[in-house]
Amino acid sequence: MRRLSIALRLALLFSAIAAAVFLAVGAYLYQALSQQMSERDDVALLDKVVLIRHLLASQPMPLAMPDELRMVLDNVFGQDGMQLRLVDAAGRTVVLTAAPGGTGAPAPGWPGVPLDRTPARTDIHDWQLASGPGRAIVALASAGSERTPVRIAIVRQRSQRLAILKRYTADLLAGLAVGTLVATALAFAVVRRGMRPLHDVIGKANEISTQRLAGRLSVQDVPAELRELGVAFNAMLDRLEEGVQRLSGFAADLAHDLRTPLNTLMMQTQVALSRPRDSGEYEALLASNLEEYERLGRMIENTLFLARADHAQLALRPVALDAAAELAHIADYFDVLADDAGIALHIDAAGSVHADPILLRRAVNNLVANAVRHTPRGGRVTLCSRADDTGCHIEVRNTGSAIAPEHLGLLFDRYYRADPSRGEAGGGAGLGLAIVRAIIQLHGGSASATSADGSTVFTLRFPPAPAARPARAGGAAGND
């Protein structure tokens, strides 16, 4: 089922709100009008009672001429749907005007308003007539100079008022329907116009592709409600553009680094096949090729490691480790290599680190291998660790030429080399520090590098052991 558009939903919502408001206002007006008409009718009844009392008291012998009196009163009461009944002290009806709707109304039996009191609205009661509901009042009066007691009963049908209210209700409902339709149409038009900036955003998004990632939304030209969306959209484009550029650079670097050993293998093979050779020359060729195969294997393995790290496919089994013992184990591994290079290897370690032992050794191995590679003969490489409330800091320091500040922030990028000639000369492929950063990020820590005054320091910051850490999957040991 196709879902309704936002504009139509908002228009329907506004329509429902408008209908509810119109209905509430109409109900209030209906109630107010009904109340005012009821009050006006009651006041008219009271005025009639006062008029009849005055008329009876002012006539010398009104009850002696009931026919004449009835003709006068018919003209007074017949136009307003009222009926007057005058009853003498003996209970006889001496005057009865024409009944509302042509049907005679029964006489109310409740006590009348005393002669010495002015009738009030509380003296008027509901009274059922043959033609429908009505109102009635009974009052006492005196007739003529002899002050003959007379009982006045006036009833008034409500059908006329009900008819007016019925017509008013019909007009009100018609107005409600028309008003709701008009409000819906206006709301739909206003919402569509108000959403025009959103369509501009959609159009801008449709223009973006991998070849055109430089476009950005002008957040100053959109309404305030969409400004935050525009900022987030531009930030997303920034991340996408950076990711695409990094991916393009990564692919270019990977192709370049794979091409070098492959070219070497092809050239060596072509040279070997250019003329017949003895078994010793072929063995030397295979031995040389083996080094290139191993280099290719390391590059592929490191690339796969980084790819699994990017997609969180590496298992992480952190445990509490003695930092000094781990660094001593790594130093033993590089002891012979450092001796051959004339480099002193020292350990200054304390505390414990919460990390995956295999990944920890791989990260520190990469740092120590880089340190040994770039430390001149007679230099020093120091492995340090300190633990506090913020976690464990492991440092690998080496003496030698400093790294320029503009390179420090890029050292952990893939295939980045502060000195490109090192890669061409058989150094690392530029993935070792990227793997270090990937490992430390898997642990929730950070990696940084500083270089000054002939000393370069790479620092790994491992967070303290959490109360519960979700396990992710494991990687392999090795270095770049």
Side-chain angles (χ1 to χ4, degrees):
M1 181 178 177
R2 187 175 181 180
R3 300 178 67 86
L4 299 178
S5 66
I6 295 178
L8 185 55
R9 291 184 192 180
L10 291 177
L12 292 177
L13 179 61
F14 292 155
S15 174
I17 294 174
V21 172
F22 290 159
L23 189 61
V25 173
Y28 170 78
L29 293 178
Y30 177 88
Q31 186 64 28
L33 178 62
S34 177
Q35 183 69 23
Q36 290 178 4
M37 293 180 69
S38 177
E39 292 178 359
R40 189 186 63 180
D41 290 349
D42 289 347
V43 171
L45 277 178
L46 297 176
D47 291 342
K48 297 296 184 185
V49 171
V50 174
L51 175 63
I52 295 302
R53 276 183 171 178
H54 177 73
L55 181 62
L56 293 176
S58 61
Q59 296 298 322
M61 297 173 52
L63 295 182
M65 301 179 292
D67 293 336
E68 292 79 359
L69 181 59
R70 184 178 57 80
M71 292 176 61
V72 174
L73 295 179
D74 276 345
N75 295 327
V76 176
F77 290 89
Q79 303 300 324
D80 296 332
M82 295 184 184
Q83 183 184 46
L84 171 67
R85 183 189 296 270
L86 297 180
V87 181
D88 61 11
R92 295 175 302 174
T93 300
V94 294
V95 173
L96 180 62
T97 63
T103 304
W110 59 76
V113 179
L115 183 60
D116 57 351
R117 183 169 68 82
T118 301
R121 289 195 64 198
T122 54
D123 299 320
I124 302 175
H125 304 280
D126 291 332
W127 186 245
Q128 184 61 39
L129 303 174
S131 58
R135 300 277 285 175
I137 182 171
V138 177
L140 301 180
S142 59
S145 56
E146 297 178 358
R147 303 186 64 83
T148 304
V150 178
R151 179 182 172 89
I152 304 172
I154 303 176
V155 298
R156 180 170 190 171
Q157 63 179 9
R158 299 173 60 185
S159 57
Q160 185 179 6
R161 180 163 58 91
L162 292 178
I164 295 174
L165 291 176
K166 187 176 181 180
R167 289 195 299 271
Y168 175 76
T169 302
D171 294 341
L172 190 63
L173 291 177
L176 172 64
V178 174
T180 302
L181 291 176
V182 172
T184 302
L186 293 177
F188 185 75
V190 170
V191 171
R192 280 185 61 86
R193 182 177 179 82
M195 294 185 68
R196 188 172 299 170
L198 185 59
H199 290 288
D200 295 340
V201 174
I202 295 173
K204 196 70 175 180
N206 289 331
E207 295 175 357
I208 295 172
S209 65
T210 54
Q211 288 76 30
R212 293 185 296 178
L213 283 174
R216 297 292 185 271
L217 293 177
S218 178
V219 296
Q220 302 301 326
D221 298 333
V222 300
E225 293 80 1
L226 295 178
R227 195 162 299 159
E228 188 174 353
L229 174 63
V231 172
F233 185 77
N234 287 341
M236 180 192 69
L237 291 179
D238 291 340
R239 294 192 295 271
L240 285 176
E241 186 176 14
E242 180 183 0
V244 170
Q245 290 178 351
R246 291 183 61 184
L247 185 60
S248 299
F250 175 75
D253 292 339
L254 180 61
H256 178 268
D257 284 287
L258 288 176
R259 184 180 62 182
T260 301
L262 285 176
N263 287 338
T264 302
L265 289 171
M266 286 191 297
M267 290 178 60
Q268 290 176 346
T269 303
Q270 289 171 352
V271 170
L273 295 176
S274 64
R275 62 180 175 82
R277 300 180 185 276
D278 57 23
S279 59
E281 290 176 319
Y282 285 120
E283 287 182 3
L285 173 65
L286 293 175
S288 177
N289 286 351
L290 180 60
E291 294 181 0
E292 298 299 331
Y293 289 139
E294 291 175 347
R295 183 182 176 189
L296 285 172
R298 287 196 302 272
M299 291 176 61
I300 294 173
E301 192 276 332
N302 288 334
T303 303
L304 291 176
F305 179 89
L306 290 172
R308 291 196 300 269
D310 286 345
H311 294 83
Q313 295 177 352
L314 293 175
L316 194 67
R317 300 183 179 87
V319 295
L321 301 171
D322 185 345
E326 292 297 323
L327 295 184
H329 179 77
I330 294 171
D332 289 342
Y333 179 80
F334 286 94
D335 190 43
V336 176
L337 182 62
D339 283 344
D340 291 343
I343 300 171
L345 198 58
H346 296 274
I347 298 176
D348 180 14
S352 63
V353 56
H354 190 79
D356 184 298
I358 296 177
L359 296 181
L360 171 66
R361 290 168 190 170
R362 180 167 188 172
V364 179
N365 277 354
N366 285 357
L367 294 180
V368 176
N370 280 345
V372 172
R373 184 183 305 151
H374 300 302
T375 301
R377 180 173 292 276
R380 171 184 293 185
V381 174
T382 305
L383 281 68
C384 306
S385 72
R386 294 289 184 272
D388 54 24
D389 294 339
T390 62
C392 180
H393 297 184
I394 295 178
E395 295 180 352
V396 177
R397 303 175 181 173
N398 70 287
T399 58
S401 57
I403 301 175
E406 62 268 23
H407 296 303
L408 291 176
L410 304 173
L411 290 176
F412 294 95
D413 290 349
R414 298 174 186 182
Y415 291 103
Y416 184 81
R417 300 183 185 91
D419 183 2
S421 62
R422 290 175 177 171
E424 302 292 346
L431 294 176
L433 294 180
I435 291 176
V436 171
R437 183 172 63 179
I439 291 174
I440 195 65
Q441 288 178 343
L442 283 174
H443 288 80
S446 62
S448 62
T450 59
S451 185
D453 301 328
S455 177
T456 300
V457 182
F458 286 87
T459 304
L460 303 181
R461 298 177 179 84
F462 288 86
R469 183 194 291 271
R472 290 187 292 179
N479 55 30
D480 183 20

